[in-house]
Amino acid sequence: MSSSANIPHRTISSIRGGAGSSKEGVPHTPARPHSSSIIGSPSGGRVEEDVIVIELGCRNVRVGFAGDYEPKRIITFDADSDKRVGDLRAWEAGYAEKWRERLAGRPWGFQHELFQLDCRGQDMALVGDKLERGLRDAFATHLLLDSTKPKKISLVLTPALPLPIISSVIDTIFIHFQAPSISLLSSPVATTFAAGIRSALVVDIGWHETTVTGIYEYREVNTMRSTRAGKMLLEETRNFLVDAIQPRTEATQGSIPTTNDVVDFEDCEEVATRMLWCKKAHRTPIQDTPLGLHTLHEQDENEGVDPTEDTTPTPIYLSSCSPPKTLQIPFSKLAEPCEATFFQTPYATATFDDEELPIHLLVYLVLLKLPMDVRAICMSRIIFTGGCSKVLGLRRRVFDELRLLVEERGWDPVQGRGVQAYRNNPKLKRNGGTKIRETPIPSIQTPEGSEDKDETPTLGDPSLAPAEEDPVNSAILKEKGYKPPVQGTLRVIDSMGPWIGASLATQLKISALAAVERDLWMQQGLNGASKPNEIDAQAQQTRMSRQSMGPGGLAKSQGNWTLGVWGAV
């Protein structure tokens, strides 16, 4: 018993404090290495990895993280987005009916646009303030980012965007969001990348204009544009509704009425989005004759009514009229705004200006100006994108009209009455037209008794003779499962859109068309950008490959820099 009493015991305070405690009786956590030194803190990893992708548009701005399948936020611009804090006029009695007073002296629908392509007289500072307000709300509410921390940004722009708008956007991002660098991506190239192909013909039916861009190996080969786009469609919809409300008399049939104060922008956009549709082509293109018998499809014996002859009244409620009313418009007439905006087929081609061509003619001219090998690839990969491409039946109508143009004209760039008279001249047909110098090919000696049917020599150019097929190469390609690319036929494919293409390209760390660094931009501004032909491409590529991709963004660099295709004026 005495031995057990002499056994030393640790006190409770020593057990809690530990054997190596500096102050006995004071509990504390043992020293250990900081976790951030091993694996890094979550905030630091996010700043290092996340890249923000911003797609700039006239009506919408899409914002999200690189690698996502859809944007986190789509910023729209309307009358409510311009309000200041504490502006409670929306709750006043009769505020909705005062839209005519707020529109007085201003363009129709100006509150729903971030910018206009005509920069004359436009307040660029207001454009930057609108963009800064929308991006700050998106970063804080939807992306959960701190606007004061640096973050890399990829900016998706449409072709030939005016330089003042580009300058205002880049200034806003560099000043208010502390971005170390901005990568510039082309919207048609990103759309092509999102479709999983390298070459395409991108038809972007946007808000201010429709652009048709030929992409070959991720390079813009040719671009043409037309003013027939969403804004013109809404103006035609407004005139269509005004004519239904106030029918024109014979005295005012040729005059242009003032229709800005009859129906507001919101009602016209609602009708254009939900009610309008597009007619079919006036003639069905000739289909390719398939091999074998046609497949028999089961069809309903009760044939439906032709939409062009459907006179069923469609009710359309307009709340902005004074007083509000419900129009009863036949369904067949709801296709008139689309017909007048995008086609106007009864008019001759010579009556249109270069910037107001119908869409199908614009697509045909872009294909006609492409080189033959590029055209063969692009015509089989036509992509329709943009907000107005979702109009019911529009894409099918443009594609059918394009096929009809190809059947009538072919790919001959020379058109006119003289060419048609030359082609239809019976004397030229009787004489065989222009004579081609023919060179005889020496006959090939074949063994006696040969049953070769092609032993008769042919006349013509030896370079036009078909090349012999290599059996070894054909066997290798067949073993590897090689399939030749589809080309030479008109075909439409789908794409997931420019934002998703830019998100995927940024996540894969693919080099952008141009990179603008904060330090150089703040020092030199827009005037410091050089034209692409003034920069050594090899030196520029070497410099970009040696830049670091650390948490602080791209490393500092000296020398010339460029805005890519947007700075080539």
Side-chain angles (χ1 to χ4, degrees):
M1 297 296 292
S2 61
S3 61
S4 61
N6 296 329
I7 296 176
H9 293 280
R10 300 175 62 185
T11 61
I12 297 177
S13 61
S14 64
I15 294 175
R16 289 180 178 177
S21 59
S22 59
K23 294 181 180 180
E24 187 176 356
V26 179
H28 71 282
T29 303
R32 66 184 64 179
H34 198 270
S35 60
S36 62
S37 62
I38 301 176
I39 59 176
S41 62
S43 61
R46 184 158 197 165
V47 172
E48 180 180 354
E49 295 178 0
D50 288 340
V51 182
I52 310 301
V53 180
I54 302 175
E55 181 190 352
L56 187 68
C58 300
R59 295 286 308 278
N60 302 321
V61 177
R62 293 174 171 84
V63 186
F65 293 111
D68 291 353
Y69 63 92
E70 63 179 4
K72 295 290 185 182
R73 172 65 171 167
I74 300 178
I75 306 172
T76 58
F77 302 93
D78 51 14
D80 295 335
S81 61
D82 295 339
K83 292 181 180 179
R84 296 182 178 181
V85 177
D87 189 357
L88 305 178
R89 291 179 297 173
W91 284 268
E92 294 180 356
Y95 177 79
E97 288 76 12
K98 296 180 181 179
W99 64 271
R100 296 175 180 84
E101 300 178 3
R102 299 190 294 270
L103 187 62
R106 297 185 178 183
W108 188 70
F110 75 100
Q111 294 178 332
H112 300 263
E113 300 175 347
L114 175 60
F115 57 85
Q116 297 179 359
L117 295 182
D118 187 2
C119 298
R120 295 173 295 181
Q122 189 175 183
D123 190 359
M124 292 292 109
L126 181 59
V127 174
D129 292 341
K130 286 184 177 181
L131 181 63
E132 186 265 337
R133 184 173 185 176
L135 290 179
R136 191 175 298 278
D137 176 72
F139 285 174
T141 307
H142 300 271
L143 275 69
L144 303 180
L145 293 176
D146 188 0
S147 300
T148 60
K149 293 184 179 180
K151 56 188 71 66
K152 292 177 288 186
I153 291 179
S154 294
L155 190 60
V156 185
L157 304 176
T158 57
L161 193 66
L163 290 179
I165 298 176
I166 297 178
S167 177
S168 178
V169 172
I170 296 179
D171 278 336
T172 301
I173 296 176
F174 276 147
I175 294 175
H176 296 283
F177 301 100
Q178 308 300 324
S181 65
I182 298 176
S183 301
L184 303 182
L185 301 175
S186 176
S187 178
V189 175
T191 304
T192 305
F193 192 82
I197 53 180
R198 304 174 63 91
S199 305
L201 185 74
V202 181
V203 183
D204 186 359
I205 310 176
W207 172 249
H208 282 295
E209 61 183 10
T210 297
T211 59
V212 182
T213 308
I215 305 296
Y216 184 73
E217 296 295 330
Y218 297 136
R219 292 179 177 87
E220 297 183 8
V221 182
N222 188 19
T223 302
M224 293 183 65
R225 56 188 45 84
S226 175
T227 57
R228 299 179 180 272
K231 190 172 185 179
M232 182 180 291
L233 178 62
L234 257 67
E235 291 176 355
E236 291 291 340
T237 305
R238 179 194 59 189
N239 299 334
F240 174 75
L241 295 176
V242 170
D243 291 342
I245 297 172
Q246 304 173 355
R248 300 185 188 181
T249 61
E250 295 181 358
T252 61
Q253 191 69 27
S255 61
I256 301 177
T258 304
T259 59
N260 292 348
D261 57 347
V262 179
V263 185
D264 65 352
F265 186 90
E266 287 79 5
D267 283 348
C268 293
E269 187 174 24
E270 187 76 11
V271 173
T273 304
R274 297 179 179 273
M275 306 298 296
L276 297 186
W277 61 282
C278 189
K279 297 179 180 179
K280 295 182 180 180
H282 64 282
R283 182 171 62 86
T284 304
I286 300 176
Q287 302 290 338
D288 297 334
T289 305
L291 297 178
L293 298 177
H294 295 277
T295 305
L296 181 61
H297 299 280
E298 296 183 359
Q299 298 180 356
D300 189 4
E301 297 181 356
N302 299 326
E303 297 182 358
V305 182
D306 188 2
T308 58
E309 301 177 356
D310 189 1
T311 58
T312 303
T314 303
I316 298 178
Y317 176 74
L318 302 177
S319 60
S320 59
C321 297
S322 182
K325 60 179 62 177
T326 300
L327 301 178
Q328 299 291 337
I329 300 178
F331 181 78
S332 58
K333 290 188 176 181
L334 292 176
E336 294 180 0
C338 288
E339 191 75 20
T341 301
F342 299 113
F343 300 102
Q344 289 188 353
T345 51
Y347 299 97
T349 306
T351 59
F352 299 114
D353 192 25
D354 293 341
E355 301 298 330
E356 60 174 9
L357 293 174
I359 296 182
H360 62 283
L361 184 59
L362 187 70
V363 176
Y364 174 76
L365 292 179
V366 172
L367 287 174
L368 194 61
K369 292 183 179 180
L370 293 177
M372 186 179 300
D373 53 345
V374 179
R375 181 199 307 156
I377 295 293
C378 292
M379 67 186 296
S380 301
R381 295 158 180 84
I382 302 177
I383 301 176
F384 290 94
T385 184
C388 292
S389 63
K390 299 179 182 178
V391 176
L392 185 62
L394 179 59
R395 293 185 293 179
R396 183 66 185 181
R397 171 69 181 279
V398 174
F399 183 68
D400 289 344
E401 293 286 351
L402 175 62
R403 296 180 62 182
L404 290 175
L405 281 175
V406 174
E407 291 177 3
E408 294 174 359
R409 303 183 181 182
W411 300 111
D412 190 358
V414 182
Q415 300 291 334
R417 296 181 179 178
V419 178
Q420 294 295 333
Y422 178 80
R423 293 174 180 173
N424 299 330
N425 194 338
K427 297 181 179 179
L428 297 177
K429 288 184 178 181
R430 182 179 57 190
N431 296 334
T434 57
K435 296 183 178 180
I436 301 177
R437 182 178 297 178
E438 298 177 349
T439 304
I441 300 178
S443 59
I444 303 176
Q445 297 180 359
T446 57
E448 296 182 1
S450 174
E451 298 180 357
D452 189 2
K453 298 181 180 179
D454 297 335
E455 59 183 3
T456 304
T458 58
L459 299 178
D461 191 355
S463 62
L464 300 179
E468 296 182 359
E469 184 178 0
D470 187 0
V472 178
N473 190 22
S474 300
I476 294 174
L477 294 178
K478 185 178 181 180
E479 182 180 357
K480 293 182 178 181
Y482 171 76
K483 295 182 179 180
V486 180
Q487 59 181 0
T489 59
L490 292 173
R491 188 184 61 166
V492 177
I493 62 176
D494 294 330
S495 175
M496 293 183 291
W499 190 92
I500 298 180
S503 174
L504 181 60
T506 306
Q507 182 70 12
L508 297 176
K509 300 186 184 318
I510 297 177
S511 301
L513 292 178
V516 184
E517 300 180 10
R518 174 185 172 85
D519 296 339
L520 292 177
W521 180 269
M522 301 305 293
Q523 293 175 5
Q524 304 173 3
L526 184 64
N527 297 327
S530 303
K531 295 182 179 181
N533 55 2
E534 298 175 358
I535 295 180
D536 187 3
Q538 184 176 2
Q540 184 80 358
Q541 185 177 4
T542 304
R543 181 182 65 84
M544 293 296 295
S545 62
R546 292 178 179 177
Q547 290 176 346
S548 114
M549 299 293 292
L554 297 175
K556 295 182 180 179
S557 62
Q558 302 295 332
N560 296 334
W561 57 280
T562 175
L563 289 176
V565 295
W566 295 275
V569 180

